[in-house]
Amino acid sequence: MAARLTVNSVLKSGTMQMPVIGLGTLQVMVDYPDGPTSPTKSSKVEAVVAKARASGLPPPKYNLTSLSQEKGLPRKETILRGLEIGYRHLDSAYAYENEEAIGQAIREWMDIGGLKREDFFITTKLPNIAMRQELVDEYLQRSLKNLQLDYVDLYLIQNPVGYKPGDVLYPRDKDGSIELDFQTDHVKIWQAMEKQVDKGCAKHIGLSNFSLRQVDRLMEKASIPPANIQAECHLYFQQQELRQWAKDNSVVFTAYAALGSPAMMNFFREARKNSEIRMKSPLDDPLVDRLSRVHKKTRAQILLRHLLQLGVVVIPKSSTTEHMVENINVFDFELSSQEMAELNALDQGEHGRKFSLVGFFKGYEKHPENPYPLDD
């Protein structure tokens, strides 16, 4: 299988054919104490945190939203660059607040006759604030309007935990705790997701950040099984059990944070007090460095190729042309079975997990559907 991988390769689940590589569009936004959320460079964020600490003030709160541009590229320009490079699979979410830019970029390509709607594979996601059966249709319609599309190829429940419905993506109470929606009912939400397939608004539906226990429970009630499960997956957190579940159930597995998401680590260090083990970047691993020299490929390309040969879809994110080109050029070499075994052996299981909203959002762990293990 590995030797036959090309940029046009797909993984299948029922009638869904998902390109094995896509462009991830999640980046980082920061809530400044004295102003609204705005995109920023990580170096600027670090300076703000240092200044706050020096003044005896708490650091700003971080939100995972939107497509910020570390190198200054506008949102739409980033997507246009990606399409020009060859990406056709775009991964977004209502909560990223970049669907309009993606829609504009897609429309430009379609208007000039370069591509047709069926040439794209578009994923978006139901936000935490819409985790009620009666809100699924409304929020998918919002996404479709933003994207200027009649349907999405894949619609995911972004996270199993519901937040208080409303216009604020990350509602907090006076104590700074995330305001949870304790009415979250996965079965009822999934039934509403299935109706979107029946209506033709979503070709396929799936899950993101769900635990193995949660997906098993949902499978017992689903009339339309998930076509896709998306989760953090990289060299140090290879998700062996969840990947095996996906394989056994003919569900496509998509890996986000495939490179360990080094740009995000500073945010999680401050918000979650991540350990040094969890802060370790796969890009800096000695074995990855050695293999990059052997194959004359970058370390990022080694990491992506490893996951592709494990049989998963990857959606690396980047806001620079150089990295977008680098990330998609992983189909002209192959890791040997011995090299794969060495890389597989670096899996740290749960200790390698980098992203957990427990500790990131105060009070998140109080929700009964919290999918993450509590910190040791």
Side-chain angles (χ1 to χ4, degrees):
M1 174 183 174
R4 296 194 296 272
L5 284 173
T6 72
V7 71
N8 295 315
S9 292
V10 297
L11 290 181
K12 299 180 180 180
S13 176
T15 60
M16 185 182 79
Q17 299 188 65
M18 191 178 199
V20 296
I21 191 161
L23 182 63
T25 63
L26 171 65
Q27 280 285 356
V28 181
M29 302 280 277
V30 60
D31 283 341
Y32 287 101
D34 57 351
T37 300
S38 58
T40 183
K41 296 181 181 180
S42 58
S43 59
K44 185 175 180 181
V45 172
E46 292 166 11
V48 171
V49 171
K51 182 177 180 180
R53 284 183 167 170
S55 303
L57 300 173
K61 297 171 183 177
Y62 298 102
N63 278 341
L64 301 183
T65 64
S66 200
L67 181 70
S68 71
Q69 303 304 329
E70 291 188 358
K71 303 300 181 182
L73 287 176
R75 297 176 182 183
K76 187 179 76 171
E77 180 64 24
T78 299
I79 304 303
L80 289 171
R81 293 275 184 91
L83 294 175
E84 184 177 359
I85 290 164
Y87 290 91
R88 299 293 179 263
H89 171 187
L90 304 177
D91 181 88
S92 184
Y94 179 87
Y96 297 175
E97 298 181 298
N98 62 8
E99 290 174 327
E100 289 188 9
I102 291 172
Q104 291 166 7
I106 292 171
R107 182 55 54 188
E108 284 193 19
W109 272 75
M110 292 174 63
D111 286 346
I112 64 175
L115 293 171
K116 299 178 181 179
R117 170 63 184 93
E118 54 267 30
D119 294 323
F120 297 95
F121 189 99
I122 307 300
T123 299
T124 196
K125 309 178 187 79
L126 181 76
N128 295 63
I129 56 171
M131 289 289 283
R132 291 191 183 181
Q133 184 178 27
E134 66 271 18
L135 293 177
V136 171
D137 181 75
E138 175 186 340
Y139 274 82
L140 178 52
Q141 292 304 315
R142 290 188 186 191
S143 289
L144 292 175
K145 182 179 179 181
N146 291 337
L147 292 164
Q148 302 183 52
L149 299 175
D150 296 325
Y151 68 89
V152 290
D153 298 276
L154 178 63
Y155 196 46
L156 302 178
I157 301 177
Q158 184 170 356
N159 193 283
V161 168
Y163 298 166
K164 177 183 176 181
D167 295 328
V168 180
L169 285 170
Y170 303 95
R172 294 184 177 90
D173 62 20
K174 294 180 180 179
D175 296 326
S177 296
I178 196 75
E179 292 189 289
L180 302 171
D181 181 6
F182 291 100
Q183 296 185 36
T184 304
D185 186 324
H186 292 165
V187 173
K188 289 182 178 180
I189 294 167
W190 189 254
Q191 289 171 346
M193 296 282 285
E194 291 175 332
K195 288 182 180 179
Q196 301 308 310
V197 177
D198 295 337
K199 290 173 57 178
C201 295
K203 294 291 186 182
H204 309 281
I205 50 178
L207 307 166
S208 179
N209 295 307
F210 275 59
S211 70
L212 189 56
R213 172 185 61 83
Q214 291 169 328
V215 295
D216 273 335
R217 187 179 64 200
L218 195 59
M219 286 288 281
E220 294 176 0
K221 303 291 185 179
S223 297
I224 300 176
N228 179 249
I229 179 79
Q230 184 178 125
E232 174 188 350
C233 183
H234 49 76
L235 183 66
Y236 296 146
F237 187 43
Q238 296 181 29
Q239 293 274 21
Q240 294 185 36
E241 288 186 331
L242 195 56
R243 283 193 295 108
Q244 187 61 51
W245 174 89
K247 181 179 180 181
D248 292 344
N249 290 278
S250 299
V251 175
V252 174
F253 186 102
T254 298
Y256 73 75
L259 304 178
S261 199
M264 296 287 288
M265 283 298 91
N266 286 329
F267 296 92
F268 273 80
R269 179 194 290 274
E270 299 299 335
R272 295 189 64 234
K273 306 302 179 187
N274 269 357
S275 66
E276 289 303 318
I277 293 176
R278 283 185 170 153
M279 286 296 296
K280 184 179 179 183
S281 173
L283 289 164
D284 296 330
D285 192 272
L287 174 59
V288 174
D289 179 62
R290 176 169 64 82
L291 293 179
S292 73
R293 287 183 275 110
V294 169
H295 290 278
K296 295 181 173 56
K297 292 291 180 179
T298 68
R299 289 172 292 180
Q301 289 170 324
I302 296 296
L303 292 172
L304 293 174
R305 183 71 200 193
H306 170 237
L307 291 178
L308 288 170
Q309 289 186 215
L310 286 179
V312 306
V313 171
V314 294
I315 48 171
K317 63 180 182 291
S318 177
S319 59
T320 70
T321 302
E322 178 184 2
H323 288 160
M324 282 191 280
V325 170
E326 176 183 312
N327 291 342
I328 207 171
N329 285 316
V330 290
F331 300 101
D332 58 352
F333 76 106
E334 181 180 359
L335 297 169
S336 70
S337 57
Q338 176 60 34
E339 291 168 337
M340 287 293 293
E342 290 181 80
L343 290 166
N344 291 348
L346 294 177
D347 184 19
Q348 298 176 15
E350 188 58 42
H351 294 292
R353 182 192 293 272
K354 296 181 180 295
F355 301 105
S356 169
L357 299 185
V358 172
F360 193 89
F361 288 126
K362 183 180 178 182
Y364 183 96
E365 72 283 355
K366 295 178 181 179
H367 199 286
E369 294 294 355
N370 163 41
Y372 305 108
L374 299 179
D375 288 342
D376 297 332

